Amino acid sequence: MPLNKCQIIELPRINDPRGNLTFVEGGHHIPFDIRRVYYLYDVPEGANRGGHAHKALHQLIIPISGSFDIHLDDGHSKKTVHMNHSYNGLYICPMIWREIDSFTSGAVCMVLASEHYDELDYYRDYGQFMSDAQRMVI
Ligand code: TYD
């Protein structure tokens, strides 16, 4: 099941009394090379992000600051992951519908992505996503 591949990846941590440091190397700590980084910030209370799936994109979502919930759906089953440690990233493989909500004030959600932005890689219609996801052999 695609959903089983979506797991928390614990990133390296260099603990230091001056402040901690975490790093990510594409293809080493995560199963793809990084071609794009984007981040969500100044998210108003009660707002939802996501609401789409990708056909081929691989992503790692890191709560750089604060916390939020990620709801995942592969067309067969669903799970919710609470993200609240900046040394943990959630790996999301292709063909996963995701919604992100419950952002705390000041939360920053950073996303590492395997490809440049391409609107053609998106499913923005849940019905279309479900139809294709349920036809896939698992
Ligand atoms: P979208 O992916 O829908 O954001 P979210 O996942 O938070 O719901 O993108 C919102 C808008 O930003 C949309 O018009 C596309 C644009 N965008 C880019 O131009 N480049 C990017 O890398 C991303 C992620 C989005």
Side-chain angles (χ1 to χ4, degrees), residues 36-38 40 48-52 54 98 100 116-117 119 122 124:
R36 177 165 52 111
V37 177
Y38 65 92
L40 303 171
N48 285 31
R49 300 296 312 222
H52 54 74
H54 288 281
R98 87 292 308 272
I100 311 177
H116 293 166
Y117 173 73
E119 186 61 33
Y122 279 77
R124 293 203 183 267

XYZ file of all heavy atoms in Angstrom, residues 36-38 40 48-52 54 98 100 116-117 119 122 124, ligand 1:
183
model
N 13.712 20.932 -5.205
C 12.922 22.138 -4.856
C 12.674 22.147 -3.361
O 12.518 21.075 -2.747
C 11.588 22.094 -5.611
C 10.647 23.234 -5.289
C 9.546 23.307 -6.339
N 8.899 22.022 -6.514
C 7.638 21.757 -6.152
N 6.877 22.690 -5.629
N 7.129 20.557 -6.337
N 12.664 23.335 -2.788
C 12.311 23.534 -1.375
C 11.271 24.638 -1.334
O 11.420 25.664 -2.002
C 13.537 23.982 -0.549
C 13.140 24.249 0.901
C 14.660 22.948 -0.622
N 10.180 24.407 -0.595
C 9.238 25.507 -0.353
C 8.735 25.404 1.079
O 8.942 24.373 1.729
C 8.095 25.525 -1.376
C 7.150 24.356 -1.372
C 5.976 24.387 -0.604
C 7.388 23.226 -2.142
C 5.079 23.333 -0.619
C 6.509 22.171 -2.161
C 5.353 22.225 -1.398
O 4.490 21.169 -1.405
N 5.586 26.822 4.039
C 4.336 27.490 4.398
C 4.569 28.201 5.719
O 5.134 27.606 6.647
C 3.222 26.457 4.569
C 2.937 25.547 3.364
C 1.955 24.438 3.761
C 2.384 26.359 2.211
N -6.534 25.421 6.246
C -6.130 24.100 5.734
C -5.239 24.309 4.526
O -5.543 25.150 3.687
C -7.342 23.321 5.223
C -8.182 22.778 6.348
O -8.249 23.373 7.411
N -8.813 21.657 6.093
N -4.176 23.546 4.405
C -3.331 23.558 3.208
C -3.374 22.172 2.587
O -3.967 21.247 3.143
C -1.883 23.949 3.549
C -1.719 25.307 4.164
C -2.121 26.447 3.258
N -1.582 26.389 1.924
C -1.095 27.434 1.263
N -1.045 28.622 1.845
N -0.677 27.317 0.018
N -2.686 22.033 1.469
C -2.720 20.749 0.777
C -4.021 20.641 0.016
O -4.409 21.561 -0.698
N -4.691 19.503 0.185
C -5.919 19.310 -0.585
C -5.598 18.931 -2.016
O -6.221 19.408 -2.965
N -4.600 18.083 -2.155
C -4.223 17.599 -3.483
C -3.330 16.371 -3.335
O -2.908 16.020 -2.225
C -3.495 18.688 -4.281
C -2.309 19.285 -3.593
N -1.123 18.635 -3.455
C -2.147 20.470 -2.977
C -0.275 19.391 -2.803
N -0.870 20.512 -2.480
N -0.069 14.111 -5.732
C 0.875 14.223 -6.849
C 1.003 12.881 -7.548
O 0.973 11.827 -6.919
C 2.246 14.669 -6.332
C 2.255 16.100 -5.901
N 2.337 17.134 -6.792
C 2.149 16.656 -4.671
C 2.311 18.285 -6.129
N 2.189 18.022 -4.838
N -3.260 14.557 0.441
C -2.890 15.076 1.763
C -3.605 16.396 2.062
O -3.840 17.221 1.167
C -1.370 15.239 1.911
C -0.719 16.543 1.460
C -0.747 16.757 -0.027
N -0.227 15.649 -0.785
C 1.056 15.513 -1.091
N 1.911 16.454 -0.755
N 1.462 14.497 -1.807
N -3.385 19.371 5.285
C -2.582 19.792 6.451
C -3.390 20.838 7.205
O -3.875 21.806 6.597
C -1.215 20.374 6.020
C -0.513 19.456 5.014
C -0.330 20.607 7.237
C 0.811 19.992 4.482
N 10.949 20.016 -9.787
C 10.503 21.404 -9.865
C 8.977 21.438 -9.900
O 8.321 20.431 -10.193
C 11.064 22.066 -11.127
C 12.555 22.228 -11.081
N 13.308 22.532 -12.187
C 13.439 22.131 -10.054
C 14.575 22.615 -11.855
N 14.699 22.370 -10.575
N 8.437 22.615 -9.635
C 6.976 22.777 -9.658
C 6.410 22.462 -11.040
O 6.908 22.943 -12.050
C 6.622 24.216 -9.259
C 5.162 24.508 -9.409
C 4.239 23.971 -8.514
C 4.688 25.283 -10.459
C 2.890 24.211 -8.654
C 3.337 25.533 -10.611
C 2.446 24.990 -9.703
O 1.115 25.234 -9.851
N 2.395 21.977 -12.444
C 0.946 21.862 -12.169
C 0.369 20.581 -12.767
O -0.605 20.027 -12.257
C 0.228 23.112 -12.689
C -1.254 23.185 -12.336
C -1.558 23.206 -10.841
O -0.753 23.762 -10.066
O -2.601 22.650 -10.435
N -0.201 17.504 -10.537
C -1.182 17.544 -9.448
C -2.473 16.820 -9.786
O -2.961 16.899 -10.921
C -1.586 18.993 -9.158
C -0.644 19.804 -8.295
C 0.533 20.322 -8.798
C -0.980 20.095 -6.983
C 1.371 21.105 -8.019
C -0.148 20.887 -6.185
C 1.023 21.385 -6.711
O 1.842 22.156 -5.944
N -5.958 17.779 -8.314
C -6.627 18.742 -7.419
C -8.086 18.361 -7.201
O -8.778 18.988 -6.406
C -6.496 20.156 -7.965
C -5.039 20.660 -7.954
C -4.979 22.154 -7.958
N -3.616 22.653 -8.012
C -2.889 22.975 -6.944
N -3.377 22.826 -5.729
N -1.657 23.443 -7.098
P -0.304 24.474 -3.597
O 0.606 23.383 -3.995
O -1.745 24.300 -3.909
O -0.101 24.800 -2.051
P -0.512 23.894 -0.780
O 0.154 22.602 -0.960
O -0.012 24.587 0.398
O -1.998 23.874 -0.771
O 0.217 25.820 -4.250
C -0.405 27.062 -3.999
C -0.029 27.989 -5.140
O 1.384 28.196 -5.179
C -0.437 27.471 -6.511
O -0.907 28.565 -7.263
C 0.844 26.984 -7.115
C 1.908 27.826 -6.455
N 3.194 27.107 -6.257
C 4.287 27.428 -7.033
O 4.231 28.321 -7.913
N 5.463 26.763 -6.830
C 5.580 25.795 -5.884
O 6.669 25.188 -5.720
C 4.428 25.454 -5.104
C 4.486 24.367 -4.060
C 3.250 26.134 -5.330
